[in-house]
Amino acid sequence: MQVALQALLLAAVAIAVGNNMGVIAGPAAGSRILRRTTISALAIAGLSSGYLLEGWKFLGGVSLPRNAVEASFFLAILILLTLTVSGFVTSITQVFVGIYIGYLLTCGFEATGEILKILSFWCVTFLSSVIVAFLFVKLMASRKAGVISSLLALKLASIVMVFITAYALGANTIGFVVAFTGQSAGDPLIIALTMTGIIVGVLAIQGQRGVTKLGSGFYGLRYASSVAPYVSTLILTEIGTQFSIPLPMSISIFSGMLGTALAMRFRLISKRRVATYIMLSWVLPLILSIVLSYMTFKILYLGRI
């Protein structure tokens, strides 16, 4: 494994982790029920466990020649950083999927079935997450379990939620990113680089506003209602992992929040803003990644792949 690819893998994993720390922290950060150091430790443990135990399920699902692997990682990092600096919230999963689609289009490979499976699962996830979160909130309300009165119980629930969320991300997102290397799941160097990237990503974002930005949106909700989007997200992400389907957690988290808002009868949901968010955060990054990937591989690798 070349040094350049080693550096790119480490950077990609660190960026993926940093990009998702707001999702991992969730209501635990927004309500300040857990210290940031505790959240960071749980994140590192969960991400590492998820990757080591289930990340291997994505290996073999992505097939790229060696000369295309480095280009894919470089392009993914460049696109994600550009979008982040420009204020577009996106996921590295969407970027890598777009790059892979662009590569397949360049080479003329017939992978319509695989692409449709991924995109269809994303659409099903959006609808399912809305429904699951809606039903979860209604169930909690009917049982009058909307408030966890014990501080100890609240902390324990937060610890479990942060760890499981990190575990799901480690298995799905990190597993998918590492799969692009095409290396063996048991390769000690790959494991070491991935673990290092996880630690760097968590520590780099620790103490930054990005950790609490997403979670603060749940602060005004009852705790049981605030975790509703995470219940649907964890279920759907684990399903995706079992079928080797990468899933951007932002899709299920956002749709879960919509389901929660509907269940709590929030009337401030703007259909226009929802549509705009979907276009700018999900559709645009995917299309941009496909176009740039297609152009890059067309120019650099045409006739050599």
Side-chain angles (χ1 to χ4, degrees):
M1 188 176 182
Q2 297 180 354
V3 176
L5 182 56
Q6 295 175 20
L8 289 170
L9 173 60
L10 193 153
V13 171
I15 291 172
V17 171
N19 183 256
N20 284 288
M21 273 303 293
V23 173
I24 294 173
S31 62
R32 301 184 186 279
I33 195 67
L34 296 179
R35 296 180 179 180
R36 288 179 176 177
T37 52
T38 302
I39 292 175
S40 297
L42 289 169
I44 292 174
L47 286 163
S48 301
S49 300
Y51 167 69
L52 291 174
L53 295 177
E54 295 195 79
W56 59 269
K57 293 178 180 180
F58 286 92
L59 293 175
V62 179
S63 180
L64 293 173
R66 181 176 299 178
N67 57 358
V69 172
E70 292 184 8
S72 296
F73 273 93
F74 180 81
L75 194 56
I77 293 172
L78 179 63
I79 293 173
L80 189 63
L81 290 177
T82 301
L83 290 173
T84 301
V85 171
S86 302
F88 292 96
V89 179
T90 189
S91 167
I92 198 167
T93 300
Q94 290 162 276
V95 174
F96 265 109
V97 168
I99 290 173
Y100 189 50
I101 293 174
Y103 168 79
L104 293 175
L105 292 175
T106 304
C107 301
F109 289 174
E110 293 293 336
T112 306
E114 186 68 21
I115 294 172
L116 288 178
K117 182 179 75 172
I118 293 174
L119 298 181
S120 297
F121 185 74
W122 290 4
C123 293
V124 170
T125 294
F126 180 87
L127 296 175
S128 300
S129 190
V130 172
I131 295 171
V132 171
F134 179 90
L135 294 176
F136 181 84
V137 172
K138 289 296 185 182
L139 178 63
M140 292 296 100
S142 66
R143 296 188 176 185
K144 298 181 180 180
V147 178
I148 298 178
S149 57
S150 169
L151 181 60
L152 177 60
L154 185 61
K155 285 188 175 182
L156 289 176
S158 298
I159 289 173
V160 171
M161 187 181 68
V162 171
F163 178 83
I164 294 179
T165 303
Y167 179 95
L169 272 164
N172 193 282
T173 302
I174 304 303
F176 178 64
V177 170
V178 175
F180 265 78
T181 64
Q183 302 296 312
S184 170
D187 189 328
L189 179 59
I190 295 295
I191 294 176
L193 289 171
T194 303
M195 294 299 101
T196 302
I198 288 173
I199 295 172
V200 170
V202 171
L203 296 182
I205 203 70
Q206 182 181 2
Q208 301 298 318
R209 294 178 61 186
V211 177
T212 59
K213 185 176 181 180
L214 177 62
S216 62
F218 296 103
Y219 186 70
L221 303 178
R222 292 173 299 174
Y223 195 84
S225 298
S226 70
V227 302
Y230 283 81
V231 172
S232 58
T233 295
L234 295 175
I235 293 173
L236 293 163
T237 302
E238 186 60 25
I239 292 174
T241 299
Q242 299 309 312
F243 289 95
S244 302
I245 302 175
L247 175 66
M249 271 190 143
S250 58
I251 291 179
S252 49
I253 285 289
F254 178 72
S255 51
M257 290 175 66
L258 287 180
T260 301
L262 291 172
M264 299 182 72
R265 298 181 179 180
F266 288 176
R267 301 185 182 279
L268 300 178
I269 301 176
S270 169
K271 295 180 180 179
R272 179 176 297 180
R273 293 188 65 180
V274 170
T276 301
Y277 180 87
I278 292 174
M279 287 297 298
L280 295 181
S281 298
W282 300 344
V283 179
L284 178 62
L286 181 63
I287 293 178
L288 178 63
S289 299
I290 293 174
V291 172
L292 291 180
S293 173
Y294 180 82
M295 293 173 61
T296 299
F297 288 118
K298 200 73 172 179
I299 294 173
L300 298 180
Y301 297 106
L302 184 61
R304 291 193 293 160
I305 295 181

